[in-house]
Amino acid sequence: MEITELIKIDEYSRESKYEQIVKSIIHNISVGNLVIDQKIPSINSFSENLFVSRDTVEKAYNILKKRNIISSIRGKGFYIARTELISKVNILFLINKLSAYKMKIYNAFADSIGENAVTDLHIYNSDEKLFLNLLDKHKLSYDYYVIMPHFKTESLEHTSMTPKVSQALKKMPENKLILMDNALEANQNQIITVYQDFEKDIYGALSEGLHILSKYKKIILVYPQESIYPYPRRIFHGFGKFCDTYKFDFEVIDKVSDDMAINKGDLFIIIEESELVTFVEQAREKEFKLGEDIGVISYNDTPLKNLFGISVVSTDFNIMGDMAAKMILNKEKGKYKVPFNFIHRASA
């Protein structure tokens, strides 16, 4: 049987013809109809035999080449390059930065998605240009695209979306797109979204710990105004709303400085781990006892914070990764809000 006779194209399918060609070739490899090193028709020959445009076949072949399923040898043609893993789901996982909690999300996702998927991790450093280049380079190569949308402006402020990123995401098939950590209102319930609500989360978590926080005279949020990896302003807004609601004296500072005044009765909420270390060192030098003389709450939990008794406000990163994977496996759509809680330990 000719190879082109194995390829099935449904003229009435909503799926594009090039995607049908890709899936049909992968299927025939998985059932043994096509084997490694077997030559397949040229683009022109394929186009003529299946009565589809040359551009359609070329697009399908480019996808297969990017996935290393076929290879081309100049002057000789196209060949089946591999027969392993082609039946697995291929996932591109794009995160904005490499951190302990981002890796916890990725590991939970990879564990839950299981052995029938291959998940490739790429880091775009909150950089719009790098993100767009990665998305364009791989836009035809994966079955799913898991994206954490966090970007920085020229003034090093956080933004969830830029016009160019929005344009690029609109071109992505909705059934392939998964947003994590950050919800984008424009997408509604047409895609998978597993997210934090930064403003409501910190407000709710601090309210949950109100009986602990009420013993402090003043709450200071250490919120970096400019950072290589900027934080959502919604954290700042949620904190301010909490303090206004419960009539706390409060202050927002940019960083923990070496000569910063720390007074008895102060409670610090610190986002960056490096600032947390500096703060704890200063507290020890001044012989303040954490949880009694002064308090500190860190943003986002880690095993080390648990070990050293640091109170936190944090989302459940394991649930975030696990839920995204399960929604893919169950072919679900819509939004899932990840729990965010106040975890009380000795430091507060």
Side-chain angles (χ1 to χ4, degrees):
M1 181 182 292
E2 291 291 331
I3 291 177
T4 49
E5 294 179 26
L6 298 171
I7 308 304
K8 306 299 180 185
I9 293 180
D10 182 359
E11 295 287 342
Y12 301 101
S13 174
R14 292 185 179 180
E15 196 169 42
S16 66
K17 290 181 179 178
Y18 74 84
E19 288 179 309
Q20 291 185 59
I21 292 171
V22 169
K23 286 187 176 180
S24 191
I25 288 177
I26 289 175
H27 170 73
N28 279 285
I29 294 173
S30 66
V31 298
N33 291 334
L34 299 175
V35 297
I36 196 166
D37 291 333
Q38 182 174 351
K39 188 174 183 179
I40 60 175
S42 67
I43 293 174
N44 288 334
S45 176
F46 208 123
S47 171
E48 292 170 4
N49 289 336
L50 283 180
F51 303 103
V52 294
S53 73
R54 190 183 186 284
D55 286 346
T56 296
V57 180
E58 186 173 26
K59 189 176 289 188
Y61 274 28
N62 283 337
I63 294 173
L64 292 166
K65 285 171 68 178
K66 283 185 178 181
R67 293 190 186 180
N68 297 319
I69 293 169
I70 67 172
S71 61
S72 59
I73 301 175
R74 186 182 295 274
K76 292 187 176 181
F78 296 91
Y79 296 83
I80 302 298
R82 65 171 177 150
T83 56
E84 298 177 357
L85 302 180
I86 53 84
S87 62
K88 293 190 176 185
V89 175
N90 291 277
I91 301 169
L92 179 64
F93 204 102
L94 289 173
I95 65 174
N96 62 303
K97 65 178 180 180
L98 192 61
S99 65
Y101 56 92
K102 297 283 183 178
M103 290 309 300
K104 186 180 286 189
I105 296 171
Y106 171 77
N107 289 331
F109 177 87
D111 287 344
S112 294
I113 204 71
E115 295 181 356
N116 288 323
V118 177
T119 305
D120 293 336
L121 177 65
H122 288 266
I123 302 157
Y124 64 90
N125 297 321
S126 297
D127 183 85
E128 178 196 62
K129 185 176 181 180
L130 180 54
F131 174 86
L132 292 172
N133 286 341
L134 284 168
L135 198 63
D136 184 63
K137 178 180 179 181
H138 299 292
K139 64 183 178 182
L140 301 175
S141 303
Y142 290 87
D143 300 300
Y144 293 101
Y145 297 80
V146 181
I147 295 169
M148 293 187 188
H150 293 278
F151 300 92
K152 58 188 174 187
T153 64
E154 290 184 0
S155 57
L156 294 182
E157 293 181 345
H158 177 276
T159 180
S160 302
M161 183 56 57
T162 71
K164 289 182 179 179
V165 171
S166 177
Q167 188 83 9
L169 293 182
K170 285 177 181 178
K171 295 178 181 179
M172 299 288 294
E174 290 182 339
N175 64 329
K176 293 186 174 186
L177 195 59
I178 296 93
L179 295 181
M180 290 185 68
D181 199 34
N182 205 352
L184 303 177
E185 292 299 328
N187 290 280
Q188 300 301 321
N189 293 318
Q190 305 305 311
I191 61 176
I192 295 173
T193 305
V194 182
Y195 69 103
Q196 301 182 63
D197 186 326
F198 294 95
E199 182 172 337
K200 291 181 179 179
D201 280 346
I202 192 168
Y203 179 89
L206 293 177
S207 298
E208 183 183 336
L210 183 61
H211 62 293
I212 304 295
L213 276 58
S214 59
K215 69 181 181 182
Y216 293 99
K217 297 176 183 178
K218 185 177 184 179
I219 304 179
I220 299 98
L221 173 66
V222 184
Y223 177 88
Q225 297 294 329
E226 294 182 356
S227 174
I228 295 175
Y229 301 109
Y231 295 91
R233 292 286 293 178
R234 285 164 285 166
I235 297 173
F236 170 85
H237 296 316
F239 167 76
K241 182 179 177 182
F242 168 80
C243 292
D244 286 340
T245 299
Y246 294 103
K247 310 304 179 185
F248 276 97
D249 183 18
F250 73 95
E251 184 180 354
V252 179
I253 61 176
D254 184 58
K255 63 180 180 178
V256 176
S257 57
D258 293 335
D259 56 351
M260 181 181 68
I262 302 177
N263 302 311
K264 282 190 176 183
D266 285 347
L267 171 69
F268 285 77
I269 299 175
I270 301 177
I271 295 178
E272 292 197 341
E273 289 190 19
S274 59
E275 302 280 351
L276 175 64
V277 172
T278 302
F279 174 83
V280 172
E281 288 175 345
Q282 286 196 48
R284 286 176 178 173
E285 287 177 6
K286 296 176 182 179
E287 298 184 347
F288 285 139
K289 188 169 183 179
L290 293 181
E292 294 184 13
D293 301 320
I294 58 171
V296 63
I297 296 172
S298 184
Y299 197 89
N300 291 329
D301 199 15
T302 66
L304 279 177
K305 292 174 188 176
N306 183 18
L307 179 66
F308 290 109
I310 303 296
S311 296
V312 296
V313 286
S314 181
T315 195
D316 192 316
F317 300 110
N318 286 324
I319 288 180
M320 186 179 292
D322 179 64
M323 182 56 64
K326 286 180 176 176
M327 290 180 78
I328 291 174
L329 293 171
N330 296 331
K331 300 188 183 302
E332 297 177 31
K333 301 297 176 188
K335 293 182 178 181
Y336 177 83
K337 164 70 176 61
V338 181
F340 190 98
N341 301 110
F342 172 73
I343 303 174
H344 181 227
R345 297 179 183 133
S347 72

